[in-house]
Amino acid sequence: MSEPAGLELAAVTKRYGRTVAVDGISLRVPAGTYCCLLGPSGCGKTSTLRMVAGHEEVSDGDIMLGGEVINGLPPARRGTAMMFQNYALFPHLDCLDNVAFSLKMRGIGKADGRERAHRMLQLVEMDAYAGRLPAQLSGGQQQRVALARALITDPRILLLDEPLSALDPFLRVRMRAELRRFQKDLAISFVHVTHSQEEAMALADLIVVMNGGRIEQVGSPREVFNAPSSLFVARFIGGHNVIEDGPGATGGAVAVRNDLVRLVDAATLGGGGPGDGEIRRSGRVAGIEFQGSVVRVTVAADADLELTVDVAERAFFDNPVGLGDPVVAAWKPEDAHALTGGSA
Amino acid sequence: MSAFGKTSTPYWQALPFALVFLLFFVLPLGLIVMVSFWDYNGYQIIPAFTGQNYLDVFDGCIADLPDLCLTFATYLSTLEFGLMVWAITLVLGFTVAYFLAFHVRTLTMQIVLFLLCTIPFWTSNVIRMISWIPLLGRNGLVNDTLLRLGLVSEPQDWLLYSHFSVVLAFVHLYTLFMIVPIFNSMMRIDRSLLEAARDAGASGWQTVWNVVVPLCKPGIAIGSIFVVTIVMGDFVTIGVMGGQQIASIGKIIQVEMSYLQFPAAAANAVVLLAVVLLIIWGLTRMIDIRKEL
């Protein structure tokens, strides 16, 4: 196995004609990190990944892997391997030949290549299907073969372009656990492009939130979730109320996690007193959504502001509210997190 | 709808084309096979059942071996043309299709260039063929130019009415039949496969050989069937471009027809059909073309 290597982007820019897809981003991914590039479509995350892979030329800036600039190298000499969105398995080759493809291209003998491909298929538990064509495999099986094909080149970093988007939701959860396990076992960095914040949260050591060709925030899932740095991140990551002219914030917008907002029955409020220094907004219940462990209550507050409150299922049914009931949403000032950057 | 109506609907839908097929293909073919067993003399054909026409086709063929009889020699020469034209149109057609499919980026440009390829087909193929004559003749443009440049000291005779000019005309006429199916196959190739090959370290040639060619096999097979069947049955191109000096199976059949030896011509046609079907059978054994249809 190759040495795991850290990836570093320095002011990397990608222009297509006059449009700028990636706008001077700098990023450091330490060796052995599971990194997710997260953002909506068109945010430049896939272009970034393809530039690292060498399938897209860098317009400006440098890409370094293990301290070595790899911009000018062809994909196969970079020490990267890519797993494509729809896996891009060769439809005319069986699993074994798909995995052995890069060995064949390098002129490694057939017997030797097949043996190594077999070992790789064993690793992903697909050796029983070695003779099958890709069309005869399920989505999850195809993904494993694609993974084996990418890993047989001993990459120092694995690049995954929306690897789970072709799978049904149930399989997606299972395969993402598998990806995570492989990453830990191999101890190389995975850079995984996705537009699903849920996927990024579940997988990543390091989340890179991108928007409009720029990086909005870099951090661990917990950091990003607890302290979104901008309006965009707070909205994209979900689970937050964004209050643009928030009381308690210094002029700018604030974000409060849905589950840190408390519902107070308007009728009982009188007894409780206005104290505790809580921030309160009164309104009416505009929607109730049962989600299992929590019940998501939408509160239409006075000044065309909608607040979302996640109430624990038990707590909700101990003290239920109905549609149209007057309620007060309350949260502690320290839970309101100031947001920078106006663009959303 | 009744159960009867349901089961019979597809048959009714297939009926019109089946009738056309029956009338214009099966019936004439049946007639040819029938006539091939008839007898004939200098001035009439006689309904009978005789294998004599087939014996005539292969007259002396076994006895004369290893010398080739007329039929074997003609088949060999026609097959040679077929093979040569097939190889050249394949390489040319693949290259052009590859350029159109993978190097031309926009759909508009692809359509424009594709139409450009079809422009020669706006005139009849006899005219296209004949237009080579002033170009390649003894006093034609090519010889003229070669003489003036001092590259040759006298006009070159091999340019026209030769194997060269026949192959040239065939290639000119039929390369498009190779381009279209191969292009069609190529357009179905997922572009990410080419990137995956590049990611795995394949060079441009390795990608063509290990990914593009295998995935184009059905298109190659269909194009090959077009070209080979056309060349095998041709007598006009070989006649005109060969100066009526080169034998071909089609030519034999045509001559027999002009002498009103219809049973002999029919027998030759049936043998030719069998040979061509054998070639197609061989091709489809190697490549499954149903995927493409």
Side-chain angles (χ1 to χ4, degrees):
Chain A
M1 274 286 169
S2 303
E3 279 295 294
L7 173 73
E8 199 173 337
L9 308 185
V12 171
T13 301
K14 178 69 197 176
R15 288 182 217 99
Y16 296 101
R18 303 180 91 185
T19 45
V20 181
V22 178
D23 192 2
I25 64 168
S26 297
L27 175 68
R28 190 193 292 266
V29 181
T33 308
Y34 204 118
C35 170
C36 279
L37 300 183
L38 174 66
S41 53
C43 72
K45 58 190 193 300
T46 299
S47 294
T48 306
L49 191 80
R50 290 170 55 80
M51 282 191 285
V52 176
H55 293 303
E56 211 82 72
E57 297 261 334
V58 177
S59 307
D60 233 328
D62 277 324
I63 299 172
M64 281 156 283
L65 190 63
E68 181 196 353
V69 177
I70 57 169
N71 299 2
L73 297 176
R77 298 213 353 244
R78 293 185 169 209
T80 61
M82 179 132 165
M83 211 168 106
F84 291 83
Q85 187 164 12
N86 295 311
Y87 311 133
L89 293 173
F90 302 117
H92 58 292
L93 299 178
D94 63 24
C95 292
L96 194 67
D97 285 337
N98 258 295
V99 176
F101 187 84
S102 68
L103 302 179
K104 187 182 170 195
M105 294 304 107
R106 274 189 273 160
I108 289 169
K110 198 159 191 171
D112 187 20
R114 294 192 144 230
E115 200 204 307
R116 282 171 62 181
H118 252 303
R119 275 207 304 269
M120 199 48 82
L121 280 177
Q122 266 164 13
L123 181 75
V124 296
E125 291 163 19
M126 281 296 292
D127 47 329
Y129 300 90
R132 296 253 194 118
L133 292 175
Q136 298 165 323
L137 301 176
S138 71
Q141 291 169 332
Q142 286 185 29
Q143 190 192 38
R144 289 188 190 172
V145 176
L147 192 64
R149 186 178 68 177
L151 291 176
I152 202 160
T153 57
D154 280 351
R156 293 190 288 171
I157 186 166
L158 183 68
L159 310 168
L160 307 101
D161 185 7
E162 309 222 5
L164 302 169
S165 63
L167 305 175
D168 61 67
F170 180 73
L171 204 55
R172 205 174 293 162
V173 173
R174 238 183 60 200
M175 294 315 285
R176 88 178 174 210
E178 257 180 41
L179 282 179
R180 181 70 191 165
R181 184 167 57 81
F182 279 121
Q183 192 268 328
K184 286 285 160 260
D185 289 352
L186 297 163
I188 59 171
S189 289
F190 278 27
V191 179
H192 175 137
V193 159
T194 179
H195 57 253
S196 154
Q197 46 83 23
E198 186 200 334
E199 204 171 293
M201 296 264 189
L203 280 168
D205 299 316
L206 188 71
I207 290 186
V208 179
V209 186
M210 291 184 70
N211 182 36
R214 289 207 172 84
I215 293 179
E216 291 272 339
Q217 188 172 7
V218 181
S220 71
R222 193 151 179 247
E223 279 163 15
V224 173
F225 187 66
N226 277 311
S229 66
S230 66
L231 270 175
F232 172 81
V233 177
R235 290 211 168 108
F236 192 78
I237 214 84
H240 285 80
N241 285 295
V242 176
I243 302 143
E244 303 244 9
D245 51 348
T250 50
V254 297
V256 193
R257 271 167 51 181
N258 293 350
D259 59 328
L260 295 179
V261 181
R262 207 159 62 85
L263 268 192
V264 191
D265 195 338
T268 61
L269 197 62
D276 315 338
E278 274 192 330
I279 296 162
R280 293 188 167 138
R281 289 291 184 100
S282 55
R284 287 182 183 276
V285 175
I288 297 169
E289 220 175 62
F290 182 71
Q291 295 196 328
S293 54
V294 297
V295 176
R296 181 158 288 180
V297 180
T298 314
V299 177
D302 21 38
D304 60 14
L305 171 73
E306 268 205 349
L307 294 168
T308 308
V309 185
D310 286 348
V311 186
E313 189 259 353
R314 284 276 175 82
F316 180 85
F317 287 102
D318 284 346
N319 195 3
V321 291
L323 276 180
D325 287 358
V327 286
V328 172
W331 61 88
K332 296 195 182 93
E334 63 265 33
D335 290 334
H337 179 84
L339 300 171
T340 56
S343 70
Chain B
M1 198 184 267
S2 70
F4 170 76
K6 266 182 203 158
T7 51
S8 66
T9 311
Y11 293 100
W12 284 109
Q13 288 172 329
L15 187 67
F17 192 69
L19 279 179
V20 170
F21 202 64
L22 207 70
L23 194 66
F24 294 103
F25 181 70
V26 177
L27 195 67
L29 201 63
L31 283 174
I32 287 175
V33 173
M34 187 175 79
V35 170
S36 73
F37 288 102
W38 284 10
D39 203 0
Y40 68 99
N41 55 34
Y43 47 90
Q44 64 174 345
I45 51 177
I46 305 146
F49 187 82
T50 167
Q52 189 57 42
N53 300 316
Y54 289 95
L55 289 178
D56 288 347
V57 170
F58 295 109
D59 185 31
C61 284
I62 305 298
D64 287 357
L65 284 174
D67 290 333
L68 294 174
C69 62
L70 175 72
T71 305
F72 278 5
T74 316
Y75 266 99
L76 192 69
S77 133
T78 309
L79 276 170
E80 258 175 40
F81 275 126
L83 204 67
M84 224 188 310
V85 173
W86 172 76
I88 296 171
T89 52
L90 177 61
V91 172
L92 262 182
F94 188 89
T95 314
V96 172
Y98 186 85
F99 175 77
L100 280 176
F102 296 120
H103 284 269
V104 180
R105 305 238 166 216
T106 64
L107 186 67
T108 330
M109 205 56 198
Q110 273 178 344
I111 294 170
V112 167
L113 290 176
F114 204 88
L115 281 178
L116 212 64
C117 289
T118 66
I119 284 182
F121 286 78
W122 296 0
T123 63
S124 100
N125 66 357
V126 176
I127 293 181
R128 272 180 290 153
M129 222 151 44
I130 288 172
S131 56
W132 281 109
I133 292 172
L135 204 66
L136 299 175
R138 242 187 111 73
N139 302 311
L141 270 174
V142 174
N143 265 325
D144 229 35
T145 314
L146 288 175
L147 280 171
R148 271 198 216 163
L149 290 174
L151 291 172
V152 294
S153 53
E154 56 188 48
Q156 300 295 298
D157 283 330
W158 57 266
L159 284 175
L160 191 60
Y161 304 138
S162 59
H163 279 70
F164 168 78
S165 58
V166 172
V167 172
L168 184 72
F170 272 137
V171 168
H172 173 212
L173 291 174
Y174 302 130
T175 299
L176 191 71
F177 291 114
M178 204 57 119
I179 296 176
V180 174
I182 295 179
F183 177 72
N184 184 36
S185 284
M186 282 178 177
M187 290 305 280
R188 294 176 188 216
I189 297 177
D190 182 355
R191 301 298 131 128
S192 62
L193 292 181
L194 306 185
E195 269 181 3
R198 193 157 164 258
D199 207 67
S203 67
W205 283 109
Q206 281 179 317
T207 306
V208 168
W209 194 247
N210 290 290
V211 181
V212 180
V213 169
L215 292 175
C216 283
K217 270 184 183 171
I220 291 173
I222 291 173
S224 303
I225 289 173
F226 280 150
V227 170
V228 169
T229 50
I230 292 172
V231 172
M232 288 301 289
D234 179 274
F235 63 93
V236 179
T237 311
I238 293 185
V240 173
M241 298 307 286
Q244 311 296 349
Q245 298 302 305
I246 300 174
S248 70
I249 307 301
K251 192 80 195 159
I252 290 179
I253 296 172
Q254 190 221 355
V255 168
E256 283 168 343
M257 299 252 294
S258 66
Y259 289 120
L260 300 181
Q261 300 170 340
F262 289 128
N268 256 312
V270 171
V271 173
L272 175 61
L273 183 68
V275 171
V276 172
L277 283 178
L278 216 64
I279 295 174
I280 294 176
W281 177 79
L283 271 170
T284 51
R285 279 303 296 267
M286 283 189 286
I287 300 165
D288 182 13
I289 61 169
R290 272 172 300 179
K291 276 188 286 186
E292 199 73 359
L293 303 176

